[in-house]
Amino acid sequence: MKSTLIIGAGGVGRVVTHKCAQLPDTFGKITLASRTKSKCDAIAAEINHPIHTATVDADDVVATVALMREIKPDILINVALPYQDLTLMEACLEAGVDYLDTANYEPKDDPRFSYEYQWPYHQRFVDAGLTALLGSGFDPGVTNVFCAYAQKHFFDEIHTVDIIDANAGDHGLPFATNFNPEINIREITAKGRYWQDGEWQETAPLEISQPFDFPHPEVGTKDIYLLYHEEMESLCRNLIGVKRLRFWMTFSQNYINHLTVLQNVGMTAIEPVDFQGQQIAPLEFLRSVLPDPASLGPLTKGKTCIGCVIDGTKDGQRLQKYIYNVCDHQEAYAETKSQAISYTTGVPAMIGAKMILDGHWKKPGVNNMEQNDPDPFMDALNQYGLPWEVVDGAPFLEQLQKHNP
C-alpha cells in the first residue's frame, strides 16, 4: 500500500489533504504533519477518509527522517514554509523518499528567493534514484506547464511570455493577505525583475503597472503590477527561443495604500529590533496580528484568473496564445474549506505528486515542472478542479504592448 506524507497544515495543506483523500488508490495511507498537531487534527476531522496526523519540526532533519522511517512514505509533499525546503530535501535524501514543493527556497534573513539553492541537489537525487519536483503550485507550477504545453503543441519558438495573476476576490476585510503574510509581503516589497534578451532587468518594487482587461467578465479590468517570480528563473533556461519573460499580479489601490503605510512605518522590515528586551522582526510581528489566510475561506467571494500570454512563431508565422484558468472562491471553499488562492496551489501540488506516483514524471534528479511531459498534467487539471482555456492571445498581447512594449 502506498503512503503519502504531507508537511504543512495551512490553507494549502488543507487543500492538498482534501484532494489526496479523494484518490485513495493513488495516495494510500495519508499522514498530515505540522509543528502544531491540533491544526492537522482539525483538517483530518473535515475529511470522510482516514487521515493520520503527526507532530514534526520541518527545520529538524533528524526528526523529519525519524517520522519518515516510521510511516515509510513514497513521497513527501512539502507545503510548509519556503525557508524549510532545504532541510526537507536533506531529509528525503537520507530517508529515500521522493520530494515535491510548491515554492522555491528563500533564506529567512534575505528576501531573495531563487532556485540556485535547490538545483545543486540534482546529482545527489540522481545518485539516490529519487525524484525532486520543484514548484508544483499554480505560479510557479501550472504556469510552467502552460508554457510547456504551448511549446509542445502550438509553437516552434516562444519569444515572449507574460504570466498574469489576478485575484478578483473580496473578503470584506480592510487588509489581509491571501497566503502567509510574511512570505507575501517579502515577495511584493522586493525589487521587480524580468528577463529580456538573455539578461535580468531590475525595477523598483511595483514601479511598472498598467490596466489589463481579463477574459472573464467577473474579473474585468484590473491594474497589474510587474513583480519578480521564480518560474521565470527556470523558464528562461527551458523555453526554446525565449527573449522576454515577465510576471504580473493584480493589487487593489486599497491594498497598495495599506502596504505603503506599513512600509513607511517600518512594519515590513525583516531585520530584528529590540522590543522590551527581546529581538523581533517587525514583519514577523505584523504576521501575528494580520488575519490568518486560512480564515478567509468563508469570507471570500469572486474569481481568480491566472494564465500566460504567449507570443512566438509556428512554421515561420507569428502566433499568440492565451492559456488561463478561472477559479471561484466559494466553489473552492465548498469543496475543501479553503479559498481559491489555497485551492489553486493545493490542487497542482496533488496533481504533481500523482504524476510522480503514477510514473508519468518519475525520473531521478531535481526538475522544474516544464521539464516534464505537460499532457498528463493538463488532462488532470481538467479532471480535478482547475479547467483551462486556450484562446487567441493577440488582443491580450496588444494590451500589454500598448502600455509596456
Side-chain angles (χ1 to χ4, degrees):
M1 181 180 182
K2 289 182 180 177
S3 175
T4 299
L5 174 60
I6 303 164
I7 294 184
V12 176
R14 169 176 276 109
V15 174
V16 173
T17 307
H18 274 264
K19 299 299 283 192
C20 288
Q22 295 173 12
L23 299 172
D25 290 343
T26 298
F27 294 99
K29 176 186 174 183
I30 299 169
T31 302
L32 176 62
S34 173
R35 184 178 279 114
T36 308
K37 186 173 180 292
S38 60
K39 292 184 177 180
C40 302
D41 293 334
I43 293 170
E46 301 169 357
I47 300 172
N48 187 27
H49 179 83
I51 304 294
H52 302 265
T53 62
T55 302
V56 71
D57 180 354
D59 292 316
D60 187 334
V61 174
V62 173
T64 305
V65 170
L67 176 63
M68 289 182 177
R69 287 177 174 161
E70 176 187 344
I71 67 174
K72 298 178 173 57
D74 295 280
I75 191 166
L76 164 64
I77 302 176
N78 168 19
V79 284
L81 294 173
Y83 313 138
Q84 296 160 328
D85 288 357
L86 301 188
T87 56
L88 292 178
M89 291 179 79
E90 290 285 356
C92 283
L93 284 166
E94 187 166 339
V97 176
D98 289 333
Y99 170 89
L100 176 148
D101 64 35
T102 63
N104 65 7
Y105 177 73
E106 180 178 349
K108 194 168 179 60
D109 59 355
D110 180 9
R112 185 178 61 85
F113 46 99
S114 173
Y115 286 119
E116 69 185 57
Y117 302 100
Q118 292 175 277
W119 282 336
Y121 279 76
H122 176 73
Q123 193 58 48
R124 293 176 63 190
F125 273 83
V126 169
D127 293 343
L130 296 173
T131 298
L133 181 61
L134 305 184
S136 190
F138 205 108
D139 44 341
V142 175
T143 50
N144 302 62
V145 178
F146 283 172
C147 291
Y149 185 82
Q151 184 167 258
K152 180 177 180 179
H153 293 283
F154 301 131
F155 294 92
D156 295 325
E157 288 190 351
I158 289 177
H159 293 165
T160 70
V161 179
D162 285 277
I163 301 166
I164 308 174
D165 182 330
N167 176 22
D170 182 7
H171 45 58
L173 300 176
F175 183 77
T177 62
N178 292 296
F179 58 96
N180 183 289
E182 184 177 356
I183 303 301
N184 182 227
I185 291 174
R186 283 165 66 109
E187 177 179 285
I188 294 166
T189 56
K191 290 183 178 180
R193 284 198 297 164
Y194 62 96
W195 176 264
Q196 184 155 344
D197 297 328
E199 295 182 347
W200 290 107
Q201 308 294 326
E202 193 170 272
T203 70
L206 306 181
E207 175 188 0
I208 298 175
S209 65
Q210 68 168 78
F212 188 81
D213 187 16
F214 287 86
H216 196 285
E218 290 186 52
V219 179
T221 302
K222 303 289 182 188
D223 288 332
I224 59 174
Y225 292 80
L226 188 143
L227 306 177
Y228 172 70
H229 226 240
E230 64 247 51
E231 60 261 53
M232 294 188 290
E233 190 178 5
S234 65
L235 289 172
C236 71
R237 292 183 170 201
N238 295 320
L239 293 184
I240 298 170
V242 69
K243 298 176 181 178
R244 188 185 69 205
L245 297 163
R246 299 186 296 192
F247 181 92
W248 307 82
M249 186 174 284
T250 62
F251 300 103
S252 68
Q253 192 57 52
N254 175 69
Y255 187 99
I256 297 295
N257 290 342
H258 276 82
L259 184 65
T260 300
V261 171
L262 291 169
Q263 284 184 285
N264 288 343
V265 298
M267 286 304 299
T268 62
I270 65 171
E271 298 80 12
V273 298
D274 183 82
F275 179 72
Q276 297 182 349
Q278 293 186 328
Q279 291 289 306
I280 183 169
L283 183 54
E284 290 185 3
F285 173 78
L286 179 62
R287 179 190 65 191
S288 71
V289 298
L290 286 175
D292 181 352
S295 71
L296 302 179
L299 303 176
T300 309
K301 300 177 181 179
K303 310 281 188 183
T304 64
C305 180
I306 313 173
C308 303
V309 177
I310 304 172
D311 180 33
T313 59
K314 178 68 174 178
D315 298 328
Q317 301 297 314
R318 282 280 300 279
L319 179 69
Q320 295 82 34
K321 294 290 183 182
Y322 185 13
I323 311 177
Y324 66 91
N325 161 265
V326 174
C327 187
D328 184 90
H329 284 284
Q330 289 181 299
E331 291 176 5
Y333 183 75
E335 182 187 353
T336 63
K337 303 297 183 185
S338 292
Q339 33 85 333
I341 304 301
S342 296
Y343 191 88
T344 54
T345 304
V347 173
M350 179 278 287
I351 294 174
K354 178 175 168 57
M355 294 296 103
I356 295 170
L357 293 171
D358 288 350
H360 297 298
W361 288 8
K362 172 65 177 171
K363 58 181 180 181
V366 175
N367 294 290
N368 292 90
M369 300 287 283
E370 70 273 15
Q371 293 174 274
N372 300 282
D373 180 8
D375 291 355
F377 191 97
M378 293 288 277
D379 290 342
L381 287 171
N382 283 329
Q383 186 174 358
Y384 299 115
L386 292 176
W388 44 273
E389 300 283 345
V390 182
V391 298
D392 179 14
F396 300 97
L397 181 64
E398 184 180 347
Q399 291 186 57
L400 294 165
Q401 291 180 331
K402 179 179 178 181
H403 296 276
N404 290 287

